[in-house]
Amino acid sequence: MPKRVDHDLRRREIGEALLRIASTRGLQAASMREVATEAGVSLRLVQYYFHTKQELLLGALAYLGEQLSARVEEHIRALGLPPSPRSLVYGTLTAILPTDPESRRLTRTYAAYYALVLAEPELAADHGTAYPDLLERFLTTQLRTAQQAGQVDPDLDAPTVAAGLLALTNGLGSSVLGGQRDGDAALAILTYHLDRLFAHGTGGMASDNVAA
Amino acid sequence: MPKRVDHDLRRREIGEALLRIASTRGLQAASMREVATEAGVSLRLVQYYFHTKQELLLGALAYLGEQLSARVEEHIRALGLPPSPRSLVYGTLTAILPTDPESRRLTRTYAAYYALVLAEPELAADHGTAYPDLLERFLTTQLRTAQQAGQVDPDLDAPTVAAGLLALTNGLGSSVLGGQRDGDAALAILTYHLDRLFAHGTGGMASDNVAA
DNA sequence: GATTTTGTGATACGACCGTATCATCAAACC
DNA sequence: GGTTTGATGATACGGTCGTATCACAAAATC
């Protein structure tokens, strides 16, 4: 039929329409028809590019993963800081804290998917745990480097502390999304703990934070 | 009509049927009809005791809150420990960590409601933040007491550390529910951080203790 | 130029949803 | 003891859901 169209692009447009709905009204509001309307296409097109709803949900989840990791890398780059372990840890964790509209959007969408996967575990067998694990390993590496450089207490167990930092950040993010505190308050709490962690050996404050 | 029946009891039975569904299959699976079946009553009865679905969701949420706080108190009491600040903090946090079937059920259900509230904020105006706030204040109080007793570094900012501990625990809980690690691993991470926090002046390394 | 493919619209189907209505039957009340 | 009232059953209505089907036009292929 009409001009040959870029399949991957169309799929991405539709998938991101779903993500947009999920971030604002939740995944329950993301019906095929709503996604079609949001993407500005007909219901048939959504069906054409994603044969079934599960395909659509999984496809969009993949796009979300891409956006999330892109956000982390971009955020770290935007900090323009020396790639010290401290800066990398700080940049990574603040990237996934919902402080600005974009990170709020991402974390809200992530939370929506999280709940869906809890209810339907077969939907995303391990697509969910892969990225957190990667993040945790990255943080562990940075902490070990910082320990070797004498910036972090060498007696600390790096994997445990890394897991704790990530859990802390996720928990803070949940509290922000839940309206318990705002992004700045969460950032302050995170910074406080990071400062204490990296205060080893240095006389005092080692904080420089460029929030976005 | 038939024998006068205990309204509150019936409401509770139906509400808890919804919580059971929410914990296993998510809130999306909790239709009026499913709740009726799960509770062993007719659809009409569910409508009778909860005029609308929103009423049912809110009513069940209240029951969940009761179960949650009951679990925390019960858990602390079951520890049978001296009511030292350290024990109280430990007991409180481990109570909300999904380590056994019951706490898994509670946290899963809580997560389901959390996602719902994210999508429909008007559903539970502040019913959601009230309990976390209370928990945080309780932890803050215990930390201050511990500081006065010399068990925790007095230089720490108690409210910030309390918020951090709660966020850490919640984040760990999410990772357990998400299948990233099991309850024992999460408990080990939490214990590690608590041990460091309460290591002040007790012969452990006093150079630097951080909770996060 | 005929034919096959690729992309798109319109519409229909059966299932389930929340909610409403009507009927009924036993206890409570005067 | 008739009547009101509290509790429950059966069933229906309009809407939305995911999915399927039919039609059809423009490009690609031969």
Side-chain angles (χ1 to χ4, degrees), chain A residues 69-188:
Chain A
S69 60
R71 151 92 190 184
V72 173
E73 292 174 19
E74 164 76 18
H75 187 78
I76 289 178
R77 198 174 323 114
L79 284 181
L81 295 180
S84 67
R86 194 212 148 95
S87 295
L88 290 177
V89 169
Y90 180 82
T92 301
L93 295 179
T94 55
I96 60 179
L97 204 61
T99 50
D100 59 85
E102 197 212 345
S103 56
R104 277 184 71 91
R105 208 200 89 234
L106 286 172
T107 52
R108 283 176 62 96
T109 313
Y110 192 83
Y113 265 103
Y114 173 74
L116 179 65
V117 170
L118 276 195
E120 244 111 346
E122 74 280 7
L123 202 145
D126 52 358
H127 283 73
T129 69
Y131 192 60
D133 281 347
L134 190 123
L135 235 46
E136 222 170 285
R137 277 196 298 274
F138 175 73
L139 293 175
T140 302
T141 302
Q142 297 307 318
L143 285 179
R144 287 207 170 110
T145 304
Q147 284 177 316
Q148 284 163 11
Q151 296 161 354
V152 166
D153 185 349
D155 288 339
L156 287 178
D157 184 60
T160 301
V161 173
L165 282 178
L166 196 53
L168 169 68
T169 306
N170 281 331
L172 285 175
S174 296
S175 72
V176 171
L177 295 187
Q180 197 183 343
R181 72 186 114 243
D182 64 19
D184 290 342
L187 186 59

Side-chain angles (χ1 to χ4, degrees), chain B residues 3 12 24 26 43 50 54 60 67 74-76 87 91 98 109 117 133 135 137 145 162 172 181 184 198 201 207 209:
Chain B
K3 51 192 171 246
R12 174 163 252 106
T24 55
L43 168 62
F50 300 92
Q54 173 154 328
Q67 289 182 9
E74 165 76 18
H75 187 79
I76 290 178
S87 294
T109 312
V117 169
D133 281 346
L135 236 44
R137 277 196 296 275
T145 304
L172 286 175
R181 73 185 112 241
D184 289 342
F198 281 90
S207 63
N209 43 6

Side-chain angles (χ1 to χ4, degrees), chain B residues 1 7 10 42 44 48-49:
Chain B
M1 71 188 329
H7 257 221
R10 271 252 205 268
S42 72
R44 180 66 181 84
Y48 185 73
Y49 291 105

